[in-house]
């Protein structure tokens, strides 16, 4: 239910805070009309809207390949997948709106560069193998991130994540299947797959965010149970899941330090280039300007459509009222 | 139920499309269940958008949409007066009535 956010009536904040804390401690969900601390609300608005923006911007790297897909089957799959990304963005904007912000304003914040989105979508998709690798690695990393968010303490966010996770599984599998087909092909096709893996591996690891020691929001978000795992734990989980998939596929992950550690029961792996991460997230990645420019153009070119639909609705409701 | 924008810098001069809440019947025999919301210019477009957004994979056989501002809701502050009375009416539950174990089918 999308409604305004309840605020503390004067004189009672201690009780309300205690009630909120008790709910979180009991692992219950917070719903939109419950009282919540302002910091909790702000953190959620930031996280959910950035998540929504990432889904919307995330349509672009793969959308580039719809017109050039090598077969009708691949084109239909890719269309469905990109449509899903749009849907995920809308589920998340709807969840954000329950916190008292509105979607049009969030869109403005995105196209004016006032809000961020995932750094991963600022890399180019150079060949059709990138479509497969995005599905396998990028959506695979997204699944790792998102499955625990299905238990996030804010009800509308958790529910949106349940819907999204169901659909992400299709995304990852279509990517892996695409790569398996290419690996059965020519030497050149196999080279294309390896090249795409080489380019997307490190940016995929960066999707989990900075190391825990440098992630200022993690501790509070985990105390509020908005986040359920640390960035480093999720990154480790992703690496452990992905290495056997890479072996089965027959590609090499571009990390000389990647080795199984029997003692830890996990793979050891190298450190991503965090300077690159900072550059890309702050706007200087290979595609940042183009992604935002295209989102802005789509929004502005849709202006007359939104106005025409409003005029049509007004005309018809006036006619109905007169009848 | 207002759709206020407290804490935002919304400087929209023109009205945005209104907010609709969406309810989907998953299959015959089940109630419609709230699944989320969307924006649309009118009811017709809201249904169309709901179909594309919330039922891309056979998630439903019927959709209701309703303007969010038309929903009346109990306020969280009222939860005691609203829901407390059911707490002390234990006789509304079948477990209130002890029946000997040798009475069949009850």
């Amino acid at each position: 239910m999308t409604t305004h956010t309840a605020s503390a009536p004067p004189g009672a904040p201690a009780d309300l805070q205690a009630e909120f804390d008790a709910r979180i401690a009991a692992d219950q969900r917070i719903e939109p009309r419950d009282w919540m601390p302002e910091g909790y609300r702000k953190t959620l608005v930031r996280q959910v809207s950035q998540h929504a923006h990432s889904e919307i911007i995330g349509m672009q790297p793969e959308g580039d390949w719809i017109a050039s897909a090598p077969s009708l089957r691949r084109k239909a799959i890719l269309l469905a997948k990109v449509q899903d990304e749009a849907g995920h963005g809308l589920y998340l904007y709807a969840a954000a709106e329950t916190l008292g912000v509105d979607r049009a304003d969030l869109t403005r914040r995105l196209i004016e560069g006032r809000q961020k989105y995932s750094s991963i979508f600022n890399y180019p998709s150079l060949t059709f193998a990138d479509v497969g690798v995005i599905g396998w690695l990028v959506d695979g990393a997204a699944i790792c991130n998102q499955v625990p968010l299905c238990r996030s303490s804010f009800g509308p966010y958790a529910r949106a994540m349940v819907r999204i996770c169901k659909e992400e599984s299709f995304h990852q599998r279509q990517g892996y299947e695409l790569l398996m087909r290419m690996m059965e092909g020519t030497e050149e096709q196999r080279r294309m797959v390896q090249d795409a893996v080489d380019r997307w591996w490190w940016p995929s690891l960066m999707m989990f965010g900075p190391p825990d020691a440098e992630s200022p929001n993690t501790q509070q978000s985990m105390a509020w149970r908005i986040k359920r795992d640390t960035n480093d734990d999720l990154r480790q989980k992703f690496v452990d899941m992905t290495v056997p998939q890479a072996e089965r596929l027959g590609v090499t992950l571009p990390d000389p330090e990647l080795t199984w550690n029997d003692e830890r029961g996990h793979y050891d792996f190298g450190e991503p280039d965090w300077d690159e991460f900072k550059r890309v997230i702050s706007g200087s990645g290979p595609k940042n300007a183009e992604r935002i420019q295209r989102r802005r153009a789509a929004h502005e070119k849709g202006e007359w459509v939104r106005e025409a639909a409003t005029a049509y609705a007004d005309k018809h409701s006036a006619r109905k009222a007169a009848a | 139920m207002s759709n206020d924008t407290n804490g935002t810098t919304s400087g929209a001069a023109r009205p945005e499309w209104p907010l609709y809440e969406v309810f989907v019947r998953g299959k015959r025999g089940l109630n419609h269940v709230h699944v989320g919301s969307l924006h649309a210019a009118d009811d017709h477009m809201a249904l169309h958008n709901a179909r594309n957004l919330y039922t891309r994979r056979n998630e439903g056989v019927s959709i209701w949409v309703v303007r969010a501002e038309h929903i009346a809701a109990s306020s969280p502050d009222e939860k005691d007066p609203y829901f407390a009375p059911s707490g002390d009416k234990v006789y509304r539950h079948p477990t209130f009535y002890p029946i000997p174990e040798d009475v069949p089918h009850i």
Side-chain angles (χ1 to χ4, degrees):
Chain A
M1 191 76 32
T2 307
T3 68
H4 60 90
T5 313
S7 54
D15 285 357
L16 292 168
Q17 179 75 50
E19 199 175 316
F20 173 87
D21 292 342
R23 278 224 174 84
I24 296 284
D27 214 4
Q28 288 187 336
R29 298 292 173 264
I30 305 298
E31 293 296 343
R33 284 157 58 90
D34 292 335
W35 181 87
M36 60 188 82
E38 189 53 22
Y40 177 85
R41 194 186 77 86
K42 276 197 175 140
T43 300
L44 272 165
V45 168
R46 192 188 65 236
Q47 182 169 334
V48 178
S49 54
Q50 288 182 2
H51 197 159
H53 297 330
S54 302
E55 300 282 356
I56 295 297
I57 295 291
M59 296 163 74
Q60 292 187 34
E62 290 169 287
D64 284 343
W65 282 98
I66 292 174
S68 321
S71 67
L72 186 57
R73 178 174 181 269
R74 291 294 168 196
K75 184 178 289 199
I77 292 169
L78 198 48
L79 265 173
K81 181 179 187 244
V82 172
Q83 188 192 14
D84 275 353
E85 308 294 0
H88 296 178
L90 292 175
Y91 302 153
L92 288 161
Y93 283 130
E97 287 194 296
T98 68
L99 292 157
V101 290
D102 87 327
R103 191 181 79 187
D105 181 54
L106 297 177
T107 300
R108 272 190 293 276
R109 292 193 212 180
L110 172 65
I111 63 182
E112 288 167 10
R114 288 186 287 135
Q115 274 194 323
K116 294 186 169 116
Y117 55 89
S118 177
S119 60
I120 192 81
F121 301 115
N122 293 315
Y123 293 87
S125 49
L126 301 180
T127 73
F128 196 71
D130 289 44
V131 171
V133 171
I134 290 171
W136 172 39
L137 295 180
V138 176
D139 290 296
I143 290 171
C144 265
N145 252 331
Q146 290 172 344
V147 166
L149 294 175
C150 296
R151 294 181 296 120
S152 176
S153 61
F154 187 58
Y157 189 36
R159 292 191 287 272
M161 293 318 309
V162 170
R163 301 187 73 87
I164 289 172
C165 285
K166 279 184 191 162
E167 298 177 355
E168 291 286 4
S169 171
F170 144 59
H171 296 179
Q172 195 191 20
R173 290 174 67 112
Q174 67 82 33
Y176 195 80
E177 189 246 15
L178 188 163
L179 297 175
M180 288 199 311
R181 289 292 90 74
M182 285 188 80
M183 292 301 283
E184 290 163 4
T186 63
E187 191 51 43
E188 194 189 347
Q189 284 177 306
R190 278 190 287 277
R191 260 203 307 275
M192 276 167 69
V193 173
Q194 182 63 55
D195 170 63
V197 170
D198 290 346
R199 284 180 289 106
W200 288 95
W201 173 249
W202 292 108
S204 299
L205 291 188
M206 294 176 197
M207 285 176 70
F208 298 95
D212 293 346
E214 291 161 42
S215 176
N217 303 320
T218 292
Q219 212 173 6
Q220 179 62 71
S221 285
M222 286 185 64
W224 276 327
R225 301 197 182 174
I226 294 173
K227 265 175 87 161
R228 311 292 307 222
D229 301 274
T230 73
N231 297 351
D232 286 335
D233 285 350
L234 290 168
R235 197 167 6 249
Q236 179 72 62
K237 196 172 163 202
F238 173 69
V239 171
D240 291 346
M241 273 173 41
T242 307
V243 172
Q245 294 169 352
E247 283 167 2
R248 179 69 179 74
L249 194 60
V251 295
T252 309
L253 298 173
D255 179 358
E257 294 176 50
L258 188 67
T259 44
W260 176 253
N261 183 326
D262 222 8
E263 211 169 292
R264 293 201 308 127
H266 293 289
Y267 285 93
D268 290 336
F269 57 98
E271 199 65 37
D273 179 352
W274 294 114
D275 289 334
E276 175 184 320
F277 174 75
K278 279 174 204 147
R279 275 198 308 280
V280 175
I281 199 85
S282 59
S284 308
K287 288 282 182 178
N288 295 58
E290 185 185 317
R291 299 290 187 235
I292 290 297
Q293 194 277 332
R294 195 194 264 184
R295 179 68 192 92
R296 174 190 286 273
H299 185 69
E300 287 170 357
K301 282 181 190 158
E303 181 78 57
W304 72 269
V305 179
R306 293 191 293 277
E307 278 174 8
T310 303
Y312 179 85
D314 289 349
K315 192 171 92 181
H316 279 258
S317 67
R319 208 177 272 168
K320 229 186 207 170
Chain B
M1 186 172 305
S2 64
N3 174 29
D4 78 22
T5 54
N6 61 45
T8 72
T9 52
S10 169
R14 67 188 168 279
E16 305 290 349
W17 289 349
L19 187 68
Y20 281 83
E21 299 295 341
V22 181
F23 301 80
V24 171
R25 186 198 294 286
K27 59 181 180 183
R28 293 183 174 277
L30 297 180
N31 288 319
H32 285 76
V33 173
H34 181 246
V35 293
S37 65
L38 51 79
H39 289 271
D42 58 22
D43 295 357
H44 182 74
M45 186 193 275
L47 274 175
H48 200 79
N49 288 356
R51 183 251 168 262
N52 285 334
L53 185 55
Y54 289 106
T55 61
R56 286 195 301 284
R57 291 184 175 78
N58 306 321
E59 292 94 336
V61 295
S62 162
I63 300 173
W64 291 344
V65 292
V66 60
R67 290 270 288 263
E69 64 193 16
H70 292 160
I71 293 180
S74 66
S75 129
D77 308 340
E78 293 168 333
K79 68 174 183 292
D80 286 349
Y82 254 78
F83 303 114
S86 58
D88 58 15
K89 292 187 175 60
V90 287
Y91 48 84
R92 285 183 169 168
H93 297 277
T95 48
F96 181 70
Y97 305 94
I99 305 284
E101 293 221 349
D102 54 356
V103 180
H105 308 303
I106 186 163

